[in-house]
Amino acid sequence: MNDLVAGVTDLATQRLAVKQFVRSTGYVAPEEKRGGLEDFASDARINLQLTMGTQQAQGAGWWQQGQDQDLLFAFPAREFLRVEDRAQPRDNWPQRWNEARANTTTDGATDSASGRMVALVNHPIWVELSRFKTPYEPFDFGSGMGTEDRDRTDAIALGLINPDTVIFPQSRRFNAELKATPEVRSERLKGLLEETGLGRFDRDGAFVFTGGAS
C-alpha cells in the first residue's frame, strides 16, 4: 500500500498482487457472493480497498501537515464541500453535518442552514461526520465530498474564533479508530491477514487496522 500511495506502483499492479495473495490462502468466496464487494478476491472489492486505503493515507498525511502551529494560525478552519462531481450525489450531507454538530459542540462550527459547512480544523465534528471516525478525507465511500482550508479572516467573520484565539496542534496515529468486521471463518486466513501487518482481530471478530501495511 505504501508503494501505491508513494506512486511507485499503479492500481493494476497492486490489485494483481493482492489477488494472488488472497488466492494463495486457498480462499474461495461463496458462490452467491463471487465477483461482488463481499468477495475478497474480486476486482470490485480489491479496487475499493486499495482506492480507499490510498485516499485515507493521503488524507492523514495532509491533515498531519496542517497541524503546524503557523498553519493553524493562518488557516484555522476548513470548509466541507463537494470537490468531485457524482452522477447521483448524496443530498443529505447538510443534515449529517448538523447532526454531527449537535452530537459534539456547536461552538466552532457553522450551522449548514447558513449555506456553508465550516468548522475549526480540530473540531470534533470531523470525526463525528466521518463514516470511518477520522478527521480527514474521505468521509464516506465515494462521496465526492472534501475540504478546503479557510483563513483566519474568514473564520473570524463566521464567528468561529476571536482575533486572539489560538488553535493548538493535535497528533493522531494513522487509522487509530479504523476497524472492519470481515466474514472470515478460516483461522488460517485470519492468521495470514494478521501476518501482513495491516492489523489484528479483536475478541469480537473485528479487524483493527494498525497502519502497518507495506
Side-chain angles (χ1 to χ4, degrees):
M1 180 67 75
N2 286 343
D3 288 344
L4 188 59
V5 173
V8 299
T9 188
D10 56 29
L11 180 62
T13 302
Q14 198 73 15
R15 180 175 62 235
L16 178 60
V18 173
K19 188 182 292 286
Q20 290 174 337
F21 166 75
V22 174
R23 287 175 175 169
S24 73
T25 68
Y27 167 81
V28 177
E31 186 173 353
E32 68 276 9
K33 295 181 179 180
R34 289 177 191 170
L37 289 175
E38 294 183 81
D39 178 358
F40 291 164
S42 72
D43 286 351
R45 172 71 177 241
I46 295 171
N47 284 341
L48 177 63
Q49 289 178 316
L50 292 176
T51 300
M52 289 300 299
T54 300
Q55 290 175 345
Q56 287 171 332
Q58 291 172 338
W62 293 330
W63 180 85
Q64 193 61 55
Q65 290 176 23
Q67 294 302 310
D68 176 85
Q69 187 68 73
D70 291 337
L71 286 176
L72 286 172
F73 182 86
F75 300 95
R78 293 186 293 168
E79 183 159 9
F80 185 64
L81 70 177
R82 181 157 298 283
V83 294
E84 294 180 357
D85 292 332
R86 292 290 184 270
Q88 295 181 318
R90 298 180 179 95
D91 59 7
N92 66 337
W93 280 113
Q95 177 185 347
R96 287 176 61 172
W97 175 270
N98 276 357
E99 289 175 353
R101 182 173 179 262
N103 289 338
T104 53
T105 175
T106 58
D107 291 338
T110 64
D111 187 325
S112 65
S114 70
R116 297 181 67 184
M117 294 179 280
V118 186
L120 298 179
V121 170
N122 291 332
H123 195 288
I125 194 172
W126 300 111
V127 173
E128 184 70 18
L129 182 68
S130 172
R131 175 183 288 273
F132 314 108
K133 299 306 176 186
T134 55
Y136 45 77
E137 303 174 37
F139 291 92
D140 205 337
F141 291 106
S143 70
M145 298 294 288
T147 62
E148 290 184 0
D149 293 336
R150 292 295 174 251
D151 64 24
R152 194 170 190 84
T153 300
D154 203 5
I156 293 172
L158 289 169
L160 303 181
I161 59 172
N162 296 317
D164 58 350
T165 299
V166 176
I167 309 296
F168 294 98
Q170 291 184 354
S171 178
R172 182 184 180 88
R173 181 171 56 84
F174 177 51
N175 284 342
E177 306 294 334
L178 185 60
K179 63 173 63 179
T181 310
E183 187 177 348
V184 180
R185 297 189 178 91
S186 167
E187 291 302 319
R188 178 171 177 269
L189 181 54
K190 286 183 178 181
L192 287 167
L193 284 171
E194 290 186 338
E195 287 176 11
T196 66
L198 285 169
R200 57 179 176 75
F201 284 89
D202 65 17
R203 67 179 60 188
D204 297 319
F207 191 71
V208 181
F209 292 85
T210 59
S214 60

